[in-house]
Each structure stands twice: as structure tokens, then as C-alpha cells.
Amino acid sequence: MENLKELFEQQIQDLYSAEDQLVEALPKMVMNASDEKLKRAFENHLDETKQHKMRLKEICDQLEINPNGETCKAMKGLIKEAENFLNEVKDDDVKQAGMIAEAQRVEHYEISGYGTAARYAKELGYDDIAKKLQSTLHEEYNADDVLTNLAENRLNKKAS
Ligand SMILES: [Fe+2]
Ligand SMILES: [Fe+2]
């Protein structure tokens, strides 16, 4: 890597790999969510995640790069961790709480990735691409808020 453009392209490929892995992994979260609201939140975000992947594909086309150039090892690790948790957990309440925690880790990772990528795009003068990345970033923030609310409602319910 020799310049910001190459660093940017590498980060876009990394994000593409992350979203691609999430499209595969999220159905498992939907399946394991016994809480109706949590299930719906995962379903909604699966739809959004497919959009995120498509947006990145469009961006790669604009940049004339192959979207499949990288494997996001961090996302691989986060997903592995979530799978291990699902295999080990016994109590259903704990399972629902733990899935929210694992999902928020993923959202925070994406928020940091898209925040950086959107800034680079602006710096490089790719205004159109920056807008696409901002839309995704906005949806990642929103998904994180939804999960925070679900976690807090759970706590409130437990307390009452
Ligand atoms: Fe995403
Ligand atoms: Fe996300």
C-alpha cells in the first residue's frame, strides 16, 4: 500500500468480506432469538446487511476493484465467538442477553470501519461513495440503538 487510495480500497474489500460473512451468520441469530422483538431486530438487520453488501459491490464497481480481495479476520473471530457462545449457553434468558452483546460487538466494529471509510472517501473526493458509506453507517448506528433498547427493556423487565 502506497497511498490513501490503496488503503481506502483495501478497507472497502475488508468491509465487503465482513458484510458477506454477516449475511451468512445472521440467519443463525434469527433462528436462536426466542424473544419476538429481538428476532425482528435481527431479521430487519439481515435485510439491511444484504443492502450493505450490495452498496459495497457498487462501490467496488465504481472503483474498478474486485470486492473479493480480502478476508476480514476480525469478523471471522467475532462470528466464531458468537457461535461458541450459542453452543455453550444453557439458560434461554442468558442466551438472549448474550446474543445482544455479541451483536453489539459486531455493530461497533462496523461503525468504526464505515466511519473511517466514509472519511477517507470524502478526503479522496469520492462524494458519491462517501454518501453510500454514510447511509450504511447510519443504519449500523440505528441497529446498535435498537439492541441497546432491547437490552435495557430486558433489564427493566427483570427488575419489575
Ligand atoms: Fe452492515
Ligand atoms: Fe450491522
Side-chain angles (χ1 to χ4, degrees):
M1 259 174 270
E2 287 179 2
N3 50 46
L4 187 66
K5 183 173 179 287
E6 283 177 18
L7 176 63
F8 174 65
E9 291 173 350
Q10 187 258 336
Q11 303 233 334
I12 291 295
Q13 289 171 322
D14 195 71
L15 281 168
Y16 183 83
S17 164
E19 297 287 14
D20 183 48
Q21 293 179 54
L22 285 170
V23 170
E24 296 294 312
L26 270 166
K28 210 177 238 177
M29 299 294 265
V30 173
M31 227 174 56
N32 278 283
S34 61
D35 182 280
E36 269 314 305
K37 283 183 182 155
L38 184 59
K39 196 188 255 311
R40 227 170 309 132
F42 283 141
E43 277 168 352
N44 284 342
H45 201 52
L46 173 58
D47 286 342
E48 287 177 337
T49 299
K50 289 176 183 164
Q51 275 281 118
H52 299 171
K53 189 181 158 186
M54 234 165 55
R55 276 187 201 129
L56 289 168
K57 172 73 175 69
E58 287 168 15
I59 291 170
C60 287
D61 289 345
Q62 277 172 269
L63 295 168
E64 297 180 341
I65 57 169
N66 179 357
N68 295 307
E70 289 282 325
T71 299
C72 179
K73 295 188 197 72
M75 190 54 72
K76 211 173 217 167
L78 287 172
I79 290 171
K80 184 102 207 101
E81 198 171 276
E83 283 172 353
N84 288 348
F85 169 74
L86 285 173
N87 289 336
E88 283 161 22
V89 68
K90 301 269 182 319
D91 180 86
D92 193 55
D93 268 350
V94 176
K95 184 178 182 179
Q96 306 306 305
M99 276 199 295
I100 293 176
E102 300 289 353
Q104 285 198 284
R105 281 204 175 84
V106 168
E107 296 316 319
H108 289 194
Y109 181 81
E110 289 185 297
I111 286 166
S112 112
Y114 279 105
T116 302
R119 242 184 302 116
Y120 288 173
K122 251 187 247 159
E123 205 176 323
L124 290 162
Y126 301 141
D127 292 341
D128 187 40
I129 293 176
K131 253 182 229 144
K132 279 193 179 120
L133 294 169
Q134 286 287 357
S135 326
T136 298
L137 179 60
H138 180 77
E139 287 166 7
E140 307 295 13
Y141 270 120
N142 187 55
D144 185 49
D145 280 348
V146 168
L147 291 166
T148 298
N149 285 334
L150 286 173
E152 278 167 5
N153 285 343
R154 257 197 70 262
L155 270 182
N156 293 342
K157 232 191 293 167
K158 282 255 129 121
S160 61

